Amino acid sequence: MFKIYFPKKIAILNHNKKITYQELDLYSRELSKILEKKKRLVFLDSKNSLSFFIIYFFLMNSEHTILLIDSSLNFLAVKKLIKNYKPSYYITSRTENFENFHELKLK
């Protein structure tokens, strides 16, 4: 994990919600209980959202290899990327069904 030098400082400001580096680290630790620790290729839909930044922070801390996927990319293009690169995880909020992937519910 990254060393947090300023745990009380604001890391993310999203509308009226403020997340400190300490809270971000806490969320990251919770995610580490869900995803395996072994380094994997992870596709992550890139969106300007709080959940995206929390997940991205976790993936960076855990040293997973991350491929950011434009959230506006069409379904067939994403399926082709999955077929070619075979990621271990694809973290997305898309509603389409991707075969051979476990669903991960994030709060």
Side-chain angles (χ1 to χ4, degrees):
M1 296 276 175
F2 290 126
K3 179 154 177 62
I4 306 293
Y5 292 101
F6 304 103
K8 302 292 183 199
K9 295 283 186 181
I10 296 172
I12 300 172
L13 179 60
N14 185 23
H15 301 287
N16 294 331
K17 180 82 170 149
K18 295 177 184 177
I19 303 289
T20 65
Y21 284 100
Q22 186 175 30
E23 291 170 317
L24 192 57
D25 187 54
L26 234 156
Y27 290 132
S28 182
R29 290 176 193 274
E30 287 300 311
L31 279 172
S32 72
K33 295 175 186 175
I34 299 170
L35 296 179
E36 59 187 294
K37 298 187 184 5
K38 186 177 177 185
K39 188 175 180 177
R40 300 286 184 184
L41 173 60
V42 179
F43 282 11
L44 175 62
D45 263 351
S46 58
K47 296 173 87 170
N48 189 12
S49 69
L50 184 57
S51 59
F52 165 77
F53 288 107
I54 291 169
I55 294 167
Y56 185 75
F57 182 81
F58 159 72
L59 292 171
M60 291 291 294
N61 273 338
S62 58
E63 299 180 352
H64 287 294
T65 302
I66 309 163
L67 179 64
L68 296 177
I69 304 292
D70 186 335
S71 58
S72 66
L73 198 61
N74 73 49
F75 178 71
L76 293 176
V78 172
K79 282 186 79 166
K80 186 174 181 179
L81 285 170
I82 289 171
K83 181 180 177 189
N84 289 337
Y85 290 96
K86 298 173 181 44
S88 297
Y89 298 100
Y90 177 35
I91 302 173
T92 182
S93 58
R94 293 173 187 257
T95 56
E96 296 95 350
N97 186 19
F98 293 91
E99 305 90 28
N100 303 321
F101 278 89
H102 296 288
E103 190 170 335
L104 175 62
K105 297 279 187 193
L106 300 175
K107 298 177 184 176

